Amino acid sequence: MSILKPYSFYRKESIEHRANDILRQMHKTANFAPKWPFDASLVADFLDLGVVWDYIPPDEEGAIAARILPTERLIEINEEILDKPQGFQESTLAHEIGHWVLHINHDEADGVVKQLELDLGDYGKPQESEEPFVCRGAGGSKIDSIEWQAQYFAGCLLMPKSILEEKRQGRDLTKWSNLYKIKDELGVSISNLTYRLQEFGWISIPKGSRTIYRGPAEVKGQTQLFG
């Protein structure tokens, strides 16, 4: 068996349920109740995952923003993204937590059985040595899918629907100024926020436009797809 679970298709509802379940458990645990602006490191602590900032050199495929060392229960974040907005940093960490929750075989990572390398070029195939889990979005539909799953999980974790419902009250979501206020209150990036709002069909933004419309894109006959 591999530390990496066999590939599975996860519906959006299933991913959201997993993220919400973690948040519910945190609410019930002393000192772990989530607060916004969101600190994704609190989730890592709750899941007993270490987080370190360190220089991660690029490899032959390019820069690496973050990676997981499953056998050490450790997430490494590249210190070179420290100059990025806080929302990007939180999304990166939440993305890696998504991989841990959705794609890592925890029993093997904890050493119950032999630990194996994660080779994303041949998803799920056991290898001979231990290597960090480096996540990329290139090279095949399964790899693209697990990257999308982790990113969708990150959005659900950082921006649960209940919190967005609260933040939208009394605000016109078609005004960028209001979206930027919500972004700051949640501690996320504006791109992740607008994607999430469009997922719920609360707004739509035509590709290449800065105009925000109320309601889902389908209402206006647009063909863009979100997720």
Side-chain angles (χ1 to χ4, degrees), residues 38-58:
F38 198 83
D39 180 0
S41 66
L42 188 66
V43 184
D45 289 343
F46 180 74
L47 297 175
D48 195 26
L49 295 172
V51 179
V52 297
W53 291 81
D54 201 357
Y55 173 67
I56 304 176

Side-chain angles (χ1 to χ4, degrees), residues 67-135:
R67 62 188 180 185
I68 303 175
L69 286 72
T71 62
E72 299 178 36
R73 297 185 70 97
L74 183 67
I75 296 174
E76 280 189 311
I77 309 292
N78 196 331
E79 62 186 14
E80 293 200 341
I81 73 167
L82 283 171
D83 62 345
K84 302 287 187 182
Q86 185 64 30
F88 179 85
Q89 297 175 29
E90 297 297 342
S91 179
T92 299
L93 178 51
H95 179 105
E96 298 307 311
I97 293 172
H99 280 306
W100 174 263
V101 172
L102 299 173
H103 305 131
I104 300 297
N105 183 328
H106 299 161
D107 286 342
E108 290 208 15
D110 288 338
V112 175
V113 294
K114 184 179 179 181
Q115 300 153 343
L116 302 168
E117 178 183 351
L118 307 176
D119 184 348
L120 293 184
D122 195 356
Y123 191 94
K125 178 181 177 181
Q127 303 294 318
E128 297 297 328
S129 62
E130 299 175 19
E131 293 290 343
F133 180 9
V134 177
C135 314

Side-chain angles (χ1 to χ4, degrees), residues 12-26 38 43 101-102 152-160 196:
K12 290 180 179 179
E13 295 82 1
S14 175
I15 295 172
E16 188 138 22
H17 176 78
R18 291 186 180 217
N20 287 338
D21 186 56
I22 289 173
L23 293 172
R24 281 193 293 268
Q25 292 178 49
M26 291 176 68
F38 198 83
V43 184
V101 172
L102 299 173
Y152 193 78
F153 176 94
C156 296
L157 192 68
L158 299 176
M159 297 169 284
R196 188 84 165 127

Side-chain angles (χ1 to χ4, degrees), residues 165-176:
E165 289 275 16
E166 175 186 315
K167 296 297 183 182
R168 73 184 290 212
Q169 295 302 312
R171 284 170 162 160
D172 182 353
L173 296 183
T174 66
K175 295 185 179 298
W176 282 105

